[in-house]
């Protein structure tokens, strides 16, 4: 054997000690050694053992000599016509090329070489005519491919080595007759095609469909993913060519369970979405996969176009119902706005305690369902909201009433003495204090201006410090102070109902409506007390009572109220103000519900009224009342939009824009946002035509994008452009749009932007910006914003209008002493409250003509915000609905859609004991396993059940 002569050769070289001139024999031996490594593995190992212990210098020198000889043998024959220099260059180039070419071959380890030769041998066997060898060869190929492991970044070795043979294997497949072996080879080709076939040929799928129908998952995850991509592409082609897609759907339904089992829920959903078969998903879902699948599906909804978006929600709803997850299912039913589905979910729940939890969820959205159980009715009617709110205030030690001065902190404003803002008791300042007092002490039932302990005359003294229409707002502020507390509120307001002063009486009527906002008592007190004033008395009382009915019944969709108020809209002999307020009240009552006579009556009135009447600033509330009926209804508003286009007066255009805006509110529909921006693009000559619809279009951008983080971010950039290049009417609406988009969510960039606009040369822009600052900070007590507003108060101390709005913004900022929110989104920002949107828009639309409404005699429109006010608390209740303290972690919400494992849903958390306050972007979770929550989101009222498996830790 050749390897036995190797040590002797080395030894003779060692004895001569002439390392530079290694004997040719030693070099030859080394050559044999390298050959052995490729031919006879056992012998090579033996030879290696024999050469162990040889001097390393000798070994290295021999290798160097071999390398030199290699170069000589591989150098190309010299071309006689080339100069010596060129030949030298060529030699060098050839050497480099060969080095590069040989390098990958040299880098292959012995195992790789063996694998390569084995694969080549198997391919040769398949090409032979002997069919007996085909099956074993296919089995071997299959085993080698399936067992090959690879890193995330490299192709598995068998696939790499089989690359040159792909086309020859295709030919072999074509030449074979129909048999099991042919199907088996098709399976293998399907896997190989993953890396070799040309783009667009979809050969993996082609061979898969003619293969053995063996489970695709056996070939690995990457193969299944590749296959699902090709299924989507081929499906699209076949639909275009109107061919059958049944085989693709069958294959997809085999792949989906594999994805679900291997934590690739997103891939499973995407595949069925591409095949328009998302309704097939629920059959594969179980208790282990439902949470991740539904979370992904619901997160996809803002990115989908109709009808896919509602199909996703309905499928997720079906999955939740299949697993008896009623709170999650009800949330999606509310999101879909499907009343039948909501009723069905509520009625199908058999657990009485869980049903109460569902009732709390419905009450938050102001959806009323008639039930016989008194306990359940209390939950549905928000009966104990005031009681729990007061107990929260007691817990947080904020029961003590605050005066407007506590909020203004005038001593911190740098106004030089002698430059103060006129007399302390000026009517405008007192009116501002009325609003601040109402917002700050809202819901607490106590304050230091209106509900003092002394006799009734001193009670009235603050009301008489206001002039005329100021008295209306002052009396009405009682409704906000006693918000949700119907019993005590009615007692406090009652005495003013018999006042001889019309404004005071009107204020009392409005107060009754306001304190019933969001709650329902045993009797329908609000309507019983207000209905008589609707038809008789002077216009001020009628308007206040109609608006009060609207606030008290927002979202209730009561037909009896429509019958009462519709004649007021259609009577053209009445003032525009009365008709508009009646339309607005019905808009609030039937918000998001258009299947009645209200839309036709409002449109009829618009067509019948004289142009001079439609030019009245109040006419915009006719448009708003109509648009509110279609809130979130998308396509359903199309017919009405077409009808409104026939109105020649500019109000037609305004109503058309408002209808589109509200129909797509909160959907994030990009096409509608573009439509709104197109409206803003026109440069209109205000003297010739009306440009109010552009202001609505700006508000529309924020209303449509609201609730979608990406949409919000993009809108903020768009508003920046509009502010730079827009017409005055657009610039005035931009701050309001910012305020609407970020209500009760004081983002720093938005605050800084609004702060800049609040110093604008155009006083209307500044006024809008100041009010928007109030909206953005509403109920947050944000210290930075409080400082900004104090600086603005000293900046505008000589301008009563601007100062009035700075004060109102300060009142909004400290709303409910920092315990409330007016953001329409709740339940972990999944649901939008229609009543809250309606209330916010009512006050924001008033700012499109602030001088007529807010700075004129109609500042009481600010009270429409009452429908959006709600405590931002988390209160945990036990099984008897009594408050129970539970340990919770509160932190910034983290988006965990599609993340592997069990990622943390909150970050930077603090541990508290309930009740706690939650900011807009915060989320809570139970810190211990002592209780089990019946709600899927810890927000508002949450019922906790004791965990029977929980063991108390030893102290």
């Amino acid at each position: 054997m050749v390897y036995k002569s190797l040590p002797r050769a080395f030894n003779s070289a060692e004895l001569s000690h002439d390392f530079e001139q290694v004997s040719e024999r030693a070099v030859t031996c080394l050559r044999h050694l390298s050959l052995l490594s490729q031919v006879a593995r056992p012998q090579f190992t033996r030879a290696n053992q024999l050469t162990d212990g040889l001097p390393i210098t000798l070994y290295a020198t021999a290798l160097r000599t071999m390398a030199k000889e290699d170069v000589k043998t591989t150098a190309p024959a010299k071309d006689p016509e080339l100069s010596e220099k060129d030949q030298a260059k060529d030699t060098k180039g050839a050497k480099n090329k060969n080095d590069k070419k040989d390098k990958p071959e040299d880098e292959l380890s012995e195992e790789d070489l063996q694998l390569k030769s084995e694969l080549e041998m198997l391919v040769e066997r398949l090409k032979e005519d002997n069919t007996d060898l085909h099956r074993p060869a296919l089995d071997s190929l299959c085993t080698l491919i399936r067992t090959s492991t690879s890193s995330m970044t490299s192709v598995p070795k068998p696939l790499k080595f089989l690359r040159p043979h792909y086309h020859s294997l295709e030919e072999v497949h074509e030449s074979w007759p129909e048999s099991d072996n042919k199907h088996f080879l098709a399976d293998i080709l399907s896997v190989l095609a993953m890396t070799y076939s040309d783009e667009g040929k979809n050969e993996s799928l082609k061979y898969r469909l003619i293969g053995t129908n063996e489970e695709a998952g056996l070939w690995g995850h990457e193969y299944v993913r590749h296959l699902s991509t090709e299924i989507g592409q081929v499906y699209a082609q076949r639909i275009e060519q109107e061919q059958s897609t049944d085989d693709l759907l069958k294959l997809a339904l085999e792949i989906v369970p594999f994805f679900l089992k291997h934590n690739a829920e997103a891939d499973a959903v995407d595949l069925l979405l591409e095949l328009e078969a998302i309704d097939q998903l629920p059959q594969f879902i179980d208790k282990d996969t439902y949470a991740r699948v539904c979370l992904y599906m619901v997160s996809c909804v803002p990115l989908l176009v109709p009808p896919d978006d509602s199909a996703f929600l309905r499928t997720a709803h079906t999955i939740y119902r299949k697993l008896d997850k009623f709170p999650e299912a009800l949330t999606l039913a509310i999101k879909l706005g499907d009343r039948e589905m909501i009723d069905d979910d509520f009625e199908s729940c058999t657990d009485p305690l869980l049903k109460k939890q569902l009732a709390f969820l419905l009450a938050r959205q102001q959806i009323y369902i008639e039930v016989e159980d008194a306990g359940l009715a209390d939950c549905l009617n928000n009966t104990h909201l005031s009681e729990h709110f007061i107990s929260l205030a007691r817990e947080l030690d904020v029961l003590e009433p605050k005066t407007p001065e506590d909020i203004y902190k005038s001593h911190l404003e740098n106004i030089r003495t002698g430059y103060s803002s006129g007399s302390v008791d000026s009517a405008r300042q007192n009116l501002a204090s009325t609003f601040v007092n109402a917002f700050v002490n809202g819901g607490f039932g106590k304050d230091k201006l209106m509900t003092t302990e002394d006799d009734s005359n001193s009670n009235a003294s603050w009301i008489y410090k206001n002039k005329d229409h100021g008295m209306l707002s002052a009396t009405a502020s009682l409704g906000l102070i006693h918000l949700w507390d119907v019993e005590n509120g009615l007692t406090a307001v009652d005495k003013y109902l018999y006042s001889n002063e019309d404004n005071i009486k009107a204020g009392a009527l409005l107060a009754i409506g306001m304190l019933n906002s969001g709650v329902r008592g045993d009797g329908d007190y609000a309507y019983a007390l207000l209905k008589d004033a609707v038809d008789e008395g002077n216009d001020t009382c009628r308007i206040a009572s109609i608006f009060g009915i609207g606030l008290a019944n927002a979202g209730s969709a009561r037909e009896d109220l429509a019958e009462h108020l519709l004649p007021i809209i259609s009577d053209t002999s009445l003032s525009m103000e009365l008709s508009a307020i009646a339309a607005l009240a019905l808009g609030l009552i039937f918000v998001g519900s258009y299947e009645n006579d209200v839309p036709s009556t409002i449109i009829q009135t618009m067509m019948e009224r004289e142009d001079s009447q439609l030019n009245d600033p109040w006419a915009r509330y006719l448009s708003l009342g109509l648009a509110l009926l279609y809130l979130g209804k998308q396509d359903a508003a199309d017919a009405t939009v077409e009808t409104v286009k026939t109105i020649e007066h500019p109000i037609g255009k305004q109503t058309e824009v408002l209808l589109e805006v509200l129909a797509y509110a909160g959907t994030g529909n990009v096409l509608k946002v573009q439509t709104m921006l197109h409206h803003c693009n026109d440069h209109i000559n205000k003297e010739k035509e009306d440009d109010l619809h552009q202001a609505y279009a700006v508000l529309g951008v924020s209303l449509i994008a609201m609730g979608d983080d990406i949409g919000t971010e993009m809108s903020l950039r768009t508003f920046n452009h509009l502010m730079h290049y827009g017409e005055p009417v657009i610039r005035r609406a931009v701050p309001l749009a910012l305020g609407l988009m970020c209500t009760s969510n004081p983002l720093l960039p938005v605050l800084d932007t609004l702060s800049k606009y609040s110093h604008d040369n155009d006083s209307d822009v500044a006024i809008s910006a100041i009010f928007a600052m109030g909206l953005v900070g509403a109920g947050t007590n944000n210290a930075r914003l409080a400082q900004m507003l104090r600086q603005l108060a000293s900046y505008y101390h000589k301008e009563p209008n601007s100062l009035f709005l700075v004060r109102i913004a300060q009142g909004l900022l400290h709303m409910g002493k920092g315990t409330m929110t007016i953001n329409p989104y709740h339940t972990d920002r999944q649901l939008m409250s229609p009543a809250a949107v309606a209330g916010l828009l009512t006050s924001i639309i008033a700012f499109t003509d602030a001088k007529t409404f807010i700075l004129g005699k109609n500042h009481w429109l600010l009270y429409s915000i009452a429908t959006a006010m709600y405590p931002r608390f988390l209160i945990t209740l036990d099984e008897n609905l009594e408050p129970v303290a539970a340990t919770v972690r509160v932190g910034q919400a983290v988006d965990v859609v599609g993340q592997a494992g069990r990622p943390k849903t909150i970050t930077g958390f603090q541990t508290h004991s309930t009740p706690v306050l939650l900011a807009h972007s915060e989320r809570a979770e139970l810190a211990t396993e002592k209780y089990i929550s019946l709600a899927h989101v810890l927000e508002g009222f949450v019922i906790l059940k004791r965990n029977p498996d929980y063991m108390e830790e030893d102290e």
Side-chain angles (χ1 to χ4, degrees):
M1 291 296 284
V2 70
Y3 69 83
K4 285 183 180 169
S5 62
L6 293 175
R8 283 199 295 278
F10 275 108
N11 286 338
S12 64
E14 190 180 354
L15 288 170
S16 70
H17 293 287
D18 189 359
F19 294 149
E20 284 307 316
Q21 301 204 334
V22 181
S23 70
E24 283 180 27
R25 195 164 172 203
V27 173
T28 314
C29 293
L30 271 176
R31 283 198 184 290
H32 284 308
L33 197 60
S34 69
L35 275 171
L36 274 171
S37 73
Q38 296 174 37
V39 184
R41 186 153 304 187
Q43 286 90 325
F44 171 62
T45 317
R46 177 91 182 96
N48 250 348
Q49 287 165 358
L50 290 167
T51 53
D52 271 356
L54 294 177
I56 191 73
T57 335
L58 174 62
Y59 199 84
T61 317
L63 287 173
R64 268 205 306 278
T65 315
M66 279 165 63
K68 280 177 195 165
E69 286 179 14
D70 279 351
V71 171
K72 280 177 198 167
T73 53
T74 54
K78 291 185 180 178
D79 189 336
E81 291 180 20
L82 288 174
S83 67
E84 277 182 30
K85 212 179 259 181
D86 289 342
Q87 282 178 347
K89 261 187 206 167
D90 273 10
T91 312
K92 198 173 177 185
K95 178 181 168 186
N96 289 346
K97 257 184 211 168
N98 280 330
D99 277 0
K100 278 180 190 168
K101 204 182 281 180
D102 292 344
K103 202 172 179 188
E105 199 67 40
D106 291 344
E107 278 180 4
L108 290 180
S109 64
E110 311 93 68
E111 289 92 341
D112 289 353
L113 278 167
Q114 187 186 4
L115 177 64
K116 187 177 179 189
S117 56
E118 201 174 325
L119 289 166
E120 284 168 355
M121 179 192 74
L122 292 170
V123 172
E124 289 305 318
R125 277 194 191 163
L126 291 176
K127 290 179 185 174
E128 290 170 15
D129 296 333
N130 184 354
T131 51
D132 295 342
L133 294 174
H134 290 172
R135 188 70 194 193
L138 287 170
D139 285 337
S140 299
L141 268 178
C142 171
T143 310
L144 285 170
I145 292 171
R146 283 186 185 172
T147 53
S148 67
T149 54
S150 70
S151 68
M152 291 293 285
T153 51
S154 64
V155 178
K157 293 273 168 47
L159 298 190
K160 192 169 163 185
F161 297 147
L162 285 169
R163 188 179 194 101
H165 308 290
Y166 177 64
H167 293 298
S168 56
L169 282 173
E170 276 191 308
E171 287 160 15
V172 167
H173 179 266
E174 279 167 30
S175 65
W176 282 5
E178 196 64 37
S179 65
D180 288 349
N181 286 352
K182 182 168 183 172
H183 294 315
F184 197 1
L185 179 56
D187 278 354
I188 290 170
L189 278 168
S190 176
V191 179
L192 297 182
M194 182 164 67
T195 49
Y196 311 144
S197 74
D198 299 327
E199 190 81 19
K201 278 193 174 180
N202 300 318
E203 289 184 355
S204 273
L205 180 59
K206 175 183 131 185
Y207 286 116
R208 173 76 201 168
L209 291 171
I210 54 175
T212 59
N213 287 336
E214 199 179 17
E215 199 181 317
L218 295 171
W219 295 100
H221 195 272
E222 200 51 50
Y223 169 66
V224 180
R225 285 187 64 175
H226 185 80
L227 205 54
S228 67
T229 309
E230 292 196 358
I231 290 172
Q233 291 168 353
V234 173
Y235 180 83
Q237 290 166 14
R238 288 202 197 168
I239 288 291
E240 217 171 279
Q241 294 155 11
E242 296 180 0
Q243 296 171 347
S244 167
T245 55
D246 296 346
D247 53 343
L248 296 179
L249 185 57
K250 182 171 175 282
L251 179 56
L253 295 179
E254 289 169 17
I255 287 175
V256 166
F258 174 84
F259 277 145
L260 292 173
K261 206 154 99 191
H262 293 83
N263 297 326
E265 293 88 353
D267 291 336
V269 173
D270 292 346
L271 177 59
L272 289 178
L273 170 65
E274 284 188 87
L275 269 60
E276 297 169 19
I278 199 69
D279 54 333
Q280 301 281 350
L281 185 60
Q283 59 185 326
F284 303 111
I285 305 294
D286 58 24
K287 64 179 178 19
D288 300 321
T289 51
Y290 84 91
R292 287 166 60 87
V293 169
C294 291
L295 178 63
Y296 178 71
M297 288 178 75
V298 174
S299 308
C300 285
V301 170
L303 311 172
L304 294 170
V305 292
D308 286 343
D309 51 0
S310 63
F312 259 50
L313 286 175
R314 287 180 191 282
T315 306
H317 178 271
T318 309
I319 293 169
Y320 281 138
R321 278 299 302 271
K322 177 183 163 187
L323 292 152
D324 290 339
K325 300 289 174 189
F326 284 101
E328 291 92 328
L330 185 64
T331 305
L332 296 187
I334 294 171
K335 205 174 166 81
L336 278 162
D338 187 327
R339 186 61 199 236
E340 283 179 19
M341 200 184 265
I342 292 169
D343 290 345
D344 180 52
D345 286 348
F346 187 68
E347 298 303 334
S348 304
C349 179
T350 49
D351 179 349
L353 206 55
L354 186 56
K355 203 161 188 174
K356 284 178 180 169
Q357 183 64 67
L358 299 184
F360 281 128
L361 183 58
L362 290 171
R364 176 69 181 96
Q365 190 72 358
Q366 296 191 19
I367 295 172
Y368 301 112
I369 294 177
E370 293 299 328
V371 288
E372 290 176 7
D373 180 348
L376 200 55
D378 282 352
C379 301
L380 274 165
N381 295 337
N382 263 334
T383 311
H384 300 300
L385 178 58
S386 175
E387 199 181 303
H388 286 299
F389 180 61
I390 298 294
S391 73
L392 167 84
R394 197 175 294 115
E395 188 83 20
L396 298 174
D397 196 21
V398 289
L399 266 181
E400 187 60 33
K402 286 198 171 186
T403 61
E405 183 48 45
D406 294 338
I407 303 304
Y408 301 158
K409 296 192 168 74
S410 303
H411 59 282
L412 297 176
E413 296 170 8
N414 1 323
I415 303 173
R416 282 182 299 166
T417 344
Y419 285 93
S420 62
S421 47
S423 84
V424 181
D425 270 315
S426 74
R428 179 47 64 92
Q429 287 293 72
N430 287 353
L431 181 61
S433 296
T434 297
F435 280 106
V436 171
N437 181 58
F439 285 131
V440 171
N441 297 302
F444 287 92
K446 276 195 252 170
D447 73 305
K448 288 186 176 174
L449 293 187
M450 298 293 299
T451 58
T452 45
E453 300 290 320
D454 309 329
D455 61 32
S456 56
N457 292 332
S458 65
N459 273 1
S461 65
W462 178 259
I463 293 176
Y464 287 105
K465 283 184 182 173
N466 292 276
K467 283 186 190 164
D468 309 335
H469 48 274
M471 292 179 177
L472 192 158
S473 286
T475 317
S477 69
L478 280 168
L480 209 53
I481 292 164
H482 291 280
L483 190 62
W484 311 313
D485 185 359
V486 180
E487 213 168 294
N488 294 328
L490 288 175
T491 312
V493 174
D494 185 58
K495 57 188 167 211
Y496 299 110
L497 284 171
Y498 310 106
S499 169
N500 298 326
E501 182 71 52
D502 284 337
N503 282 312
I504 294 178
K505 190 176 177 183
L509 292 165
L510 179 53
I512 289 170
M514 223 187 309
L515 48 91
N516 281 276
S517 172
V519 294
R520 294 176 88 191
D522 302 333
D524 185 7
Y525 302 123
Y527 184 52
L529 290 165
L530 298 177
K531 64 181 178 187
D532 296 337
V534 169
D535 302 314
E536 48 199 59
N538 68 351
D539 277 7
T540 312
C541 290
R542 290 180 75 181
I543 286 166
S545 56
I546 292 168
F547 191 50
I549 288 174
L551 292 179
N553 296 284
S556 66
R558 284 174 53 185
E559 291 292 342
D560 57 326
L561 300 180
E563 286 168 21
H564 193 168
L565 296 179
L566 280 176
I568 299 173
I569 298 175
S570 52
D571 187 349
T572 49
S573 64
L574 294 173
S575 71
M576 187 46 136
E577 193 175 350
L578 257 176
S579 288
I581 281 292
L584 175 62
L586 285 174
L588 288 165
I589 294 163
F590 289 94
V591 62
S593 158
Y594 60 91
E595 288 152 348
N596 44 52
D597 299 335
V598 183
S600 53
T601 311
I602 295 177
I603 293 171
Q604 193 64 34
T605 305
M606 286 180 179
M607 290 174 169
E608 288 173 3
R609 289 264 182 179
E610 299 290 326
D611 280 5
S612 58
Q613 289 177 310
L614 292 175
N615 288 335
D616 188 304
W618 275 102
R620 69 196 66 202
Y621 282 107
L622 273 179
S623 308
L624 181 61
L626 176 61
L628 285 172
L629 304 171
Y630 292 92
L631 181 67
K633 292 299 173 203
Q634 304 195 22
D635 305 350
D638 291 353
T640 313
V641 168
E642 292 306 318
T643 314
V644 167
K645 282 180 180 173
T646 59
I647 300 172
E648 290 173 12
H649 187 274
I651 197 171
K653 182 74 174 168
Q654 295 162 20
T655 312
E656 178 199 332
V657 173
L658 264 182
L659 272 166
E660 281 196 75
V661 165
L662 281 149
Y664 288 89
T667 59
N669 188 305
V670 183
L671 296 175
K672 290 295 165 191
V673 171
Q674 287 175 349
T675 310
M676 294 305 130
L677 292 174
H678 278 300
H679 287 306
C680 300
N681 207 13
D682 306 330
H683 292 283
I684 293 170
N685 183 345
K686 190 151 191 230
E687 289 165 14
K688 291 182 183 170
E689 52 183 315
D690 192 88
D691 56 3
L692 182 60
H693 69 274
Q694 291 190 317
Y696 295 162
V698 176
L699 293 175
V701 173
S702 93
L703 202 56
I704 293 167
M706 186 166 62
D708 170 24
D709 295 340
I710 300 167
T712 304
E713 214 165 296
M714 288 163 66
S715 305
L716 293 177
R717 288 175 54 193
T718 307
F719 290 145
N720 210 1
H721 297 313
L722 289 176
M723 205 64 190
H724 281 167
Y725 309 113
E727 298 290 309
V729 67
I730 292 172
R731 294 185 78 245
R732 286 166 198 163
V734 167
L736 296 172
L738 284 169
L740 178 59
M741 186 178 277
C742 304
T743 41
S744 297
N745 182 19
L747 301 171
L748 273 182
V750 176
L751 287 183
D752 290 342
T753 307
L754 288 172
S755 177
K756 188 171 71 183
Y757 297 158
S758 65
H759 296 80
D760 199 273
N761 293 333
D762 182 342
S763 65
D764 288 337
V765 173
I767 281 171
S768 294
I770 294 167
F771 179 63
M773 287 166 91
L775 290 179
V776 169
T780 62
N781 279 358
N782 186 290
R784 186 188 177 112
L785 184 52
Q787 174 66 17
M788 284 178 180
L789 290 171
R790 277 199 296 276
Q791 287 168 352
L792 274 175
S794 40
Y795 181 77
Y796 284 121
H797 72 276
K798 285 187 176 176
E799 295 180 33
N801 284 351
S802 303
L803 184 60
F804 172 66
L805 277 158
V806 172
R807 296 307 186 202
I808 282 177
Q810 286 177 310
L812 287 169
L813 171 64
H814 297 281
M815 180 187 282
K817 300 174 201 159
T819 59
M820 291 198 192
T821 177
I822 57 170
N823 194 293
Y825 280 87
H826 60 92
T827 314
D828 207 9
R829 300 184 300 290
Q830 288 180 53
L831 298 178
M832 180 176 80
S833 163
V837 172
L840 284 172
L841 268 180
T842 302
S843 54
I844 285 173
I845 295 272
F847 275 87
T848 54
D849 187 354
K851 288 191 170 62
T852 304
F853 293 109
I854 305 300
L855 301 173
K857 296 184 175 182
N858 304 306
H859 31 70
W860 47 266
L861 281 167
L862 282 171
Y863 286 130
S864 63
I865 292 177
T867 63
M869 288 166 67
Y870 198 84
R872 53 190 184 92
F873 57 27
L874 159 62
I875 288 189
T876 45
L877 307 171
D878 64 13
E879 295 170 34
N880 302 317
L881 301 191
E882 293 298 323
V884 59
T887 317
V888 290
R889 289 194 280 260
V890 179
Q892 289 295 311
V894 179
D895 187 7
V896 294
V897 180
Q899 287 187 17
R902 289 186 185 167
K904 294 269 184 286
T905 53
I906 56 173
T907 180
F909 59 79
Q910 292 179 319
T911 307
H912 297 284
S913 180
T914 56
V916 292
L917 293 177
L918 300 175
H920 172 68
S921 56
E922 285 181 337
R923 191 182 278 158
E925 57 182 39
L926 290 172
T928 65
E929 293 178 5
K930 184 177 180 182
Y931 294 103
I932 298 169
S933 162
L934 294 186
H936 63 303
V937 173
L938 294 190
E939 199 176 297
F941 295 109
V942 174
I943 300 174
L944 300 180
K945 245 187 349 189
R946 271 195 172 278
N947 184 351
D949 304 331
Y950 180 72
M951 302 288 286
E952 289 280 356
E953 289 179 18
D954 296 332
E955 289 188 11

